[in-house]
Amino acid sequence: QLNELQIEINARAGQGYQLERPLEFLSREAIVAELDAATRSAMAALDVAWVIDSTSNFLSGQTAPPPGQFHACVAEYQSAGRGRRGRQWLAPFGDGVCLSIGCCFASGPPNLASLGLAVGVGLLRALRRCGAEQAQLKWPNDIVTGGRKLAGILIDVQGEADGPLHVVIGIGINYRSNSGVVSQVADSGGLEPADLQSCDAESVPGRSAVAARVIEHVYQVLNEFSQAGFSPFVQEWRSADFLAGKQVTVSTGSGNLRGTAVGVSDDGQLRLDTEQGSREVVSGDVTVRSD
């Protein structure tokens, strides 16, 4: 069972088994205690799961909280954690912070398509407070440090464009490295993972405190985004843009684009300088070119 949860174990002949490192469990009480008063009062519910298929799947099946409030779910382990474009989010038991936040927009906010970028700003603020001071934003939904992936965002929306909308924001953070996951990501051709503890082990708080910081900052972003859309976050996003000035390849549904990334537009699209001229990309996967 421990192997199925991807928990690293040392086995010694004649002596038995030992965990590679201690496990720190998530605590509902600790998370709530770390939240500021405004976030705590807006939290309609907080679920802490032991093993779950997906925190986002769980919240998507729940009734949306009233506008202005949110429902959060964190889990020790996800058996079917989801990434973008049908990929699996890999997070061994106790080595990641897997959480989702569900909310309701009474009416469609300005430029809903850019919500993921705005949430990225909130997540970046939280992770920088947790020791990842050099972290940056990688369009459209990743947090990277040193060019390696530290966290990712996945957003599900149910409802009509003009509201009400039930929005579920899934967030996965690599809290601690795991050799098995690093190998799996390498085999799949994914972006090499980074982990929060390697950023600054002395200043990184426990997993419950990290979850609280993320919930707090994302809730603040959701409040502002519901009124003003992406515009309050554009400049902060651009100042933390990992891709700016880099040669990239963007894989879209209609093929690949090659060019120089030159930031994001006011509505969150990736801007490229290509041989055919300037282009703006609504969605796609971005790879930094080694040439």
Side-chain angles (χ1 to χ4, degrees), residues 153-233:
I153 299 163
L154 182 69
I155 295 180
D156 297 318
V157 179
Q158 303 173 27
E160 301 299 327
D162 56 354
L165 295 171
H166 184 193
V167 177
V168 175
I169 298 158
I171 293 172
I173 302 166
N174 298 321
Y175 182 80
R176 179 186 295 114
S177 65
N178 178 294
S179 58
V181 168
V182 172
S183 298
Q184 284 180 270
V185 172
D187 291 343
S188 68
L191 187 62
E192 181 183 355
D195 66 278
L196 191 57
Q197 285 208 328
S198 295
C199 294
D200 187 349
E202 292 185 359
S203 64
V204 174
R207 294 167 66 229
S208 293
V210 172
R213 293 289 80 74
V214 172
I215 291 170
E216 190 174 285
H217 283 279
V218 171
Y219 164 68
Q220 293 168 0
V221 165
L222 290 172
N223 262 351
E224 195 165 359
F225 186 89
S226 67
Q227 302 298 320
F230 185 51
S231 59
F233 310 102

Side-chain angles (χ1 to χ4, degrees), residues 47-285:
D47 291 286
V48 178
W50 187 250
V51 176
I52 198 171
D53 63 341
S54 160
T55 56
S56 287
N57 287 350
F58 172 76
L59 288 185
S60 293
Q62 306 297 305
T63 301
Q69 295 188 299
F70 68 91
H71 184 174
C73 177
V74 299
E76 294 287 1
Y77 181 78
Q78 298 182 118
S79 60
R82 295 183 289 121
R84 291 183 71 245
R85 298 178 179 263
R87 299 187 184 96
Q88 183 181 6
W89 180 267
L90 301 172
F93 187 100
D95 280 351
V97 176
C98 302
L99 65 89
S100 294
I101 298 170
C103 68
C104 178
F105 293 142
S107 59
N111 192 18
L112 179 63
S114 63
L115 175 59
L117 278 74
V119 170
V121 171
L123 180 55
L124 182 70
R125 293 170 181 172
L127 293 176
R128 285 181 170 178
R129 281 188 60 188
C130 293
E133 295 181 1
Q134 304 305 313
Q136 295 176 281
L137 293 158
K138 179 178 179 289
W139 188 92
N141 69 329
D142 291 337
I143 307 292
V144 300
T145 183
R148 298 180 297 147
K149 186 167 181 172
L150 179 60
I153 299 163
L154 182 69
I155 295 180
D156 297 318
V157 179
Q158 303 173 27
E160 301 299 327
D162 56 354
L165 295 171
H166 184 193
V167 177
V168 175
I169 298 158
I171 293 172
I173 302 166
N174 298 321
Y175 182 80
R176 179 186 295 114
S177 65
N178 178 294
S179 58
V181 168
V182 172
S183 298
Q184 284 180 270
V185 172
D187 291 343
S188 68
L191 187 62
E192 181 183 355
D195 66 278
L196 191 57
Q197 285 208 328
S198 295
C199 294
D200 187 349
E202 292 185 359
S203 64
V204 174
R207 294 167 66 229
S208 293
V210 172
R213 293 289 80 74
V214 172
I215 291 170
E216 190 174 285
H217 283 279
V218 171
Y219 164 68
Q220 293 168 0
V221 165
L222 290 172
N223 262 351
E224 195 165 359
F225 186 89
S226 67
Q227 302 298 320
F230 185 51
S231 59
F233 310 102
V234 172
Q235 293 306 319
E236 190 171 352
W237 209 103
R238 288 171 176 162
S239 68
D241 187 355
F242 167 72
L243 294 176
K246 292 183 171 62
Q247 300 295 310
V248 301
T249 298
V250 184
S251 300
T252 68
S254 58
N256 293 339
L257 284 172
R258 292 163 64 93
T260 303
V262 290
V264 295
S265 64
D266 289 345
D267 58 359
Q269 297 184 53
L270 178 66
R271 298 170 59 228
L272 291 179
D273 279 346
T274 73
E275 291 181 353
Q276 292 75 38
S278 298
R279 298 285 299 273
E280 291 189 351
V281 183
V282 176
S283 65
D285 286 341

Side-chain angles (χ1 to χ4, degrees), residues 37-50:
T39 306
R40 195 181 304 127
S41 65
M43 187 168 63
L46 170 62
D47 291 286
V48 178
W50 187 250

